[in-house]
Amino acid sequence: MTEQLTGRERVNLALNHQEADRIPRAESFWPETIPIWHQQGLGPNEDVADLFGYDILGAGWISHEARPGFLQTIEETADWWSRLDGNGAILRYWKHKSGTPEHVDFTVRTRDQWEDHKAQMLAQPPGSRVDVLSALRRMYEAQAKGRWFCWTGVEAYETAKDVFGHLGLSYIMADDVAWAKDIFDTEAELACAVLDHLEQSGVRFDGAWIYGDIAFNHAPFFSPKMYRALIKPAHIRQIAWFKARGLPVIYHTDGDFRLILPDLLEAGVDCFQPLEAKAHMDLRELKPQYGARASWMGNIDVTVLLTNDRARIEAEVAAKLPVAKAGGGYIYHSDHSIAPGVHWETYQFLMELVDRYGSYA
């Protein structure tokens, strides 16, 4: 197929394991990257998504906080500040650069504290948790530009981790199964209620791109048995909202999640992103193994891009894209987010390679 298609058509074809005119593409960036690129030659009014023809546009991010938008500074220096957020978590952030915040403390520790937190969560009206007007504007923009419009939001483990921290949540999952189930069920219930509100407000999605970091570089944060008993039912519930409307689901998790990949497929996931190369994820192995059961998005190694070495970057793209694109089932993305150390000229070269190796002509 060589005719020019819309981004919406490309993504739908890829998720149905069909070839288009070229592979669809999307990208994520660290907040500093685009401003630095403006200093390196990107025009001040140029939009990278328009410039390189990205095919996906998302909206509808939901706040899961008990007190949406609450933020109180606890401590501050010239370089960082510690803040109490609407989840009752105290996190330390850098002031002048992006990065994962340091987990200082989590104030929801007991079952009684959770019940209070949960009551506050469920008491908030759905409209207080999402910017409906922004979602509608993005929907109309996607329609005007022919892009695949998706809900971008988080799943139950990710939102629960923001309340208890990884360690605290792990203790709950190990020691109190009923409590853990209630936590994940509540988070899924809240997400579905706000999705209902978005739909009732006129927002219509082509699919979902759900975020939930559930693994580190060697394995998931929990055993497959624990996933099936505690988290998978909440995943099924949230994903079912989209499946009931015939919509596909892309699932984002960093790390090596191969131990529970079959379970995620059973839960209804259609496509996996970003496939971190440094976490032993390799679509050249995964795609033949799973065939038409799964689609893939990403796996272009950011650590290679950060070298700004054109020969190494072309070798990375040339080794993966021909395998990835064969028979459809692939969407271009880096294997994380583009960091500011990737030069503007380097990224332009990368997109030339994606054009060349990602074409079906």
Side-chain angles (χ1 to χ4, degrees):
M1 179 182 294
T2 58
E3 64 179 292
Q4 186 76 17
L5 301 174
T6 67
R8 184 173 185 269
E9 290 168 333
R10 284 189 198 99
V11 174
N12 283 331
L13 285 168
L15 294 177
N16 282 287
H17 295 267
Q18 296 175 271
E19 296 182 357
D21 51 346
R22 61 166 174 83
I23 57 172
R25 60 184 72 155
E27 194 66 272
S28 303
F29 302 91
W30 285 100
E32 298 92 343
T33 301
I34 301 299
I36 288 175
W37 283 357
H38 285 308
Q39 300 171 20
Q40 296 175 349
L42 174 64
N45 299 314
E46 289 184 304
D47 184 289
V48 174
D50 291 337
L51 203 58
F52 297 118
Y54 294 165
D55 297 294
I56 296 176
L57 188 64
W61 194 272
I62 295 171
S63 168
H64 281 249
E65 295 177 318
R67 292 185 287 175
F70 175 83
L71 204 61
Q72 178 184 346
T73 299
I74 303 296
E75 187 178 359
E76 182 175 3
T77 72
D79 297 318
W80 51 261
W81 50 61
S82 294
R83 288 174 163 174
L84 174 69
D85 66 19
N87 282 314
I90 301 174
L91 307 176
R92 182 174 291 142
Y93 299 86
W94 290 108
K95 279 187 171 180
H96 309 298
K97 62 180 179 179
S98 299
T100 302
E102 179 186 353
H103 293 181
V104 178
D105 198 9
F106 295 88
T107 62
V108 180
R109 301 187 186 94
T110 68
R111 185 68 182 266
D112 287 343
Q113 289 171 331
W114 161 249
E115 292 298 337
D116 289 341
H117 184 89
K118 173 182 171 181
Q120 289 184 68
M121 286 175 63
L122 298 180
Q124 301 292 331
S128 71
R129 298 191 170 279
V130 66
D131 188 338
V132 173
L133 291 179
S134 175
L136 286 167
R137 284 194 296 268
R138 298 278 282 183
M139 180 182 74
Y140 296 135
E141 180 185 353
Q143 292 172 354
K145 295 179 177 180
R147 292 182 185 161
W148 193 77
F149 179 61
C150 61
W151 178 69
T152 50
V154 285
E155 48 75 73
Y157 180 83
E158 182 74 12
T159 53
K161 173 268 298 177
D162 290 342
V163 178
F164 300 97
H166 286 101
L167 185 60
L169 185 58
S170 295
Y171 279 127
I172 294 168
M173 291 170 68
D175 296 338
D176 195 328
V177 169
W179 183 11
K181 286 183 176 180
D182 181 60
I183 291 167
F184 297 127
D185 287 347
T186 300
E187 297 289 358
E189 176 186 346
L190 186 152
C192 291
V194 182
L195 286 166
D196 285 340
H197 178 73
L198 283 165
E199 185 177 59
Q200 291 160 10
S201 301
V203 182
R204 298 291 182 270
F205 298 107
D206 295 316
W209 187 349
I210 300 176
Y211 294 71
D213 287 336
I214 57 176
F216 62 110
N217 64 356
H218 285 83
F221 292 128
F222 33 74
S223 70
K225 180 179 179 181
M226 194 171 279
Y227 172 75
R228 293 176 196 127
L230 303 178
I231 304 170
K232 188 175 180 180
H235 277 174
I236 290 171
R237 181 176 182 181
Q238 189 168 349
I239 291 169
W241 192 94
F242 297 95
K243 294 297 177 176
R245 292 154 178 81
L247 304 177
V249 171
I250 300 168
Y251 186 80
H252 164 100
T253 177
D254 294 339
D256 182 352
F257 59 96
R258 287 175 293 176
L259 283 174
I260 59 170
L261 199 159
D263 288 292
L264 288 164
L265 286 172
E266 288 181 4
V269 173
D270 298 283
C271 179
F272 297 96
Q273 184 272 339
L275 311 174
E276 279 193 289
K278 62 180 176 291
H280 320 291
M281 304 299 290
D282 192 329
L283 59 80
R284 292 168 294 186
E285 299 173 2
L286 292 165
K287 186 168 183 178
Q289 181 179 356
Y290 286 95
R293 294 176 62 199
S295 297
W296 312 96
M297 181 177 178
N299 206 222
I300 301 301
D301 193 342
V302 168
T303 65
V304 174
L305 301 181
L306 282 165
T307 67
N308 294 292
D309 182 324
R310 292 195 173 199
R312 289 188 61 185
I313 293 167
E314 181 160 7
E316 171 75 3
V317 174
K320 291 180 176 176
L321 254 59
V323 177
K325 76 177 186 180
Y330 178 73
I331 301 168
Y332 163 79
H333 196 285
S334 62
D335 78 336
H336 196 275
S337 300
I338 301 297
V342 178
H343 300 161
W344 170 234
E345 286 189 354
T346 297
Y347 193 77
Q348 292 177 86
F349 175 68
L350 171 64
M351 288 294 99
E352 291 172 7
L353 296 175
V354 173
D355 276 338
R356 188 192 321 163
Y357 289 97
S359 173
Y360 288 105

